[in-house]
Amino acid sequence: MNEQDYIHIYTQLILKSLKGTLEEVERDRLEDWLSQSQENRDFYERISQEHLLEEEMAFFSSIDSKGAFGKLKQHLPSSGKRENQEKKWWIRYAAAAAMLAVVIMGWGIYGGWLSIAPPTDQGTLATVDVEPGTDKAILILPDGEEILLEGAAEGTLKEDNGITVDKRLDQVIFNVRKDYTTPESKVNKIFVPKGGKYQVVLADGTKVWLNSASSLAFPSNFTGSSRTVTLKGEGYFEVAHDPEVPFIVQANDTEVKVLGTHFNINTYENEPLTKTTLLEGSVEVSHKDKSKVISPGEQALSNGQLSVSKIDTRQVVAWKDGLFMFKRTKLEDILRQLERWYAIKVSFDGDIPEKHFSGTISMDTNLSKVLGMLEMSGAIDFELKNGTVYVKNTTH
């Protein structure tokens, strides 16, 4: 067993013990580890007494464990007389402790139990913070009228010739009167800025969740032999089933054709690929002169070529449920997500650190706390100034 496997196994056992979810075999294994030395038991008891569990959030870094541990150690209280004695076993068990410590620190910061602010030393986070995004969007009607949905009262926003536009919570809903027969297709557009999310229910009953910095162009009423919309940015679709009239999403130079299904499309301009991920049903993805039918749990990647691979769909659509979910995700990919959700800019000082992170965190978390947890990798410092996050690679 290598060091990383060791860290992962005992981290999970300790966490499950703190949450009271250990099975009998796991409990025996943990007890065996605790009985191996007094140092192991001291560490477990010290962590247990901190009361830092928060089930709504778990964030851990599996990279540069010793560096992460070093940063956390600065914040943990010493025990006075035992300081020198403890120093030896803290160093000895740094690798195992670090991964667990990052989780515990993450929970503590998120839950508000720790009176620890992100570091404000030179090159790290400033005291200025950025709050998370909210439900907001701008609806542009066919006649050019713009409605700021965030500030609009709930109820009917517009009624015109058999088509009603309503707002309910964080949804804008298009309804068509049953006797509506006008064949003219009028195009609406909903734009979600950085720092926002919104949901729109189309005239056929299709539901669309739009992520930050995204837009959707769609008709007030679908007519003809297809239901066609145009997406920029990222959207999650739950398409109303209609075998006679296929639903088509145009996203840059990729086209997704469905009858009724659940899928996600990520087509941001600053992302290297257009990603179509299927959760339910089947879709046909076309890109240039190629096309492929994908099944649930698969993702089509299009950028000159068209390829299909298996994917963890939970990670892809976590944003819809208000979560950042990372699974060995590159730092640069994470920062692009933060740019959109917190409406900030990111600037790199030197090379982008080659780091990967795994974990889940609520999108309702303030930016400084997210960056503070990323800093626990021991290889990155952030400075937040005037809406820009400056990233410094500390490995050089």
Side-chain angles (χ1 to χ4, degrees), residues 74-88:
Q74 299 172 12
H75 299 296
L76 287 177
S78 63
S79 54
K81 297 180 181 179
R82 301 188 58 192
E83 185 173 357
N84 292 332
Q85 178 183 352
E86 289 183 348
K87 184 177 180 180
K88 295 179 181 179

Side-chain angles (χ1 to χ4, degrees), residues 184-213:
E184 182 182 3
S185 181
K186 297 181 179 180
V187 177
N188 304 270
K189 187 172 183 179
I190 183 169
F191 172 72
V192 180
K194 285 185 175 183
K197 285 194 304 183
Y198 219 79
Q199 184 181 354
V200 57
V201 181
L202 306 181
D204 65 338
T206 293
K207 297 179 181 179
V208 186
W209 285 257
L210 293 171
N211 206 347
S212 301

Side-chain angles (χ1 to χ4, degrees), residues 108-321:
I109 293 173
Y110 181 71
W113 290 307
L114 293 182
S115 58
I116 299 173
T120 56
D121 299 331
Q122 182 67 27
T124 57
L125 290 178
T127 55
V128 178
D129 206 349
V130 177
E131 293 185 352
T134 58
D135 295 318
K136 58 185 176 184
I138 300 172
L139 177 64
I140 305 175
L141 299 173
D143 61 3
E145 181 182 355
E146 296 187 6
I147 301 176
L148 187 64
L149 294 173
E150 182 181 18
E154 292 196 21
T156 299
L157 302 176
K158 189 81 171 182
E159 187 171 4
D160 181 34
N161 196 27
I163 297 177
T164 304
V165 183
D166 296 316
K167 178 190 174 183
R168 185 170 64 227
L169 297 177
D170 59 345
Q171 292 182 332
V172 59
I173 304 168
F174 282 73
N175 290 300
V176 180
R177 199 173 61 221
K178 291 183 177 180
D179 60 352
Y180 181 78
T181 58
T182 302
E184 182 182 3
S185 181
K186 297 181 179 180
V187 177
N188 304 270
K189 187 172 183 179
I190 183 169
F191 172 72
V192 180
K194 285 185 175 183
K197 285 194 304 183
Y198 219 79
Q199 184 181 354
V200 57
V201 181
L202 306 181
D204 65 338
T206 293
K207 297 179 181 179
V208 186
W209 285 257
L210 293 171
N211 206 347
S212 301
S214 302
S215 66
L216 185 74
F218 58 95
S220 301
N221 184 37
F222 292 106
T223 60
S225 58
S226 67
R227 297 170 285 166
T228 302
V229 301
T230 301
L231 172 71
K232 292 184 178 180
E234 184 170 23
Y236 175 83
F237 294 78
E238 291 186 357
V239 177
H241 185 70
D242 187 346
E244 303 299 325
V245 186
F247 192 94
I248 297 174
V249 181
Q250 295 177 339
N252 288 334
D253 51 3
T254 297
E255 182 177 283
V256 179
K257 182 178 180 180
V258 304
L259 298 177
T261 189
H262 298 182
F263 61 99
N264 191 88
I265 302 180
N266 183 324
T267 184
Y268 285 113
E269 292 182 357
N270 65 343
E271 297 288 348
L273 300 163
T274 293
K275 303 175 183 178
T276 303
T277 307
L278 184 63
L279 284 81
E280 180 182 306
S282 66
V283 301
E284 180 182 21
V285 180
S286 300
H287 177 67
K288 300 194 174 193
D289 59 344
K290 301 178 179 65
S291 64
K292 292 182 181 293
V293 175
I294 62 174
S295 302
E298 293 183 335
Q299 181 179 82
L301 304 176
S302 49
N303 182 21
Q305 301 296 319
L306 182 60
S307 61
V308 177
S309 60
K310 287 287 186 179
I311 192 72
D312 183 352
T313 59
R314 296 173 304 169
Q315 179 185 356
V316 174
V317 301
W319 66 268
K320 180 180 75 71
D321 300 317

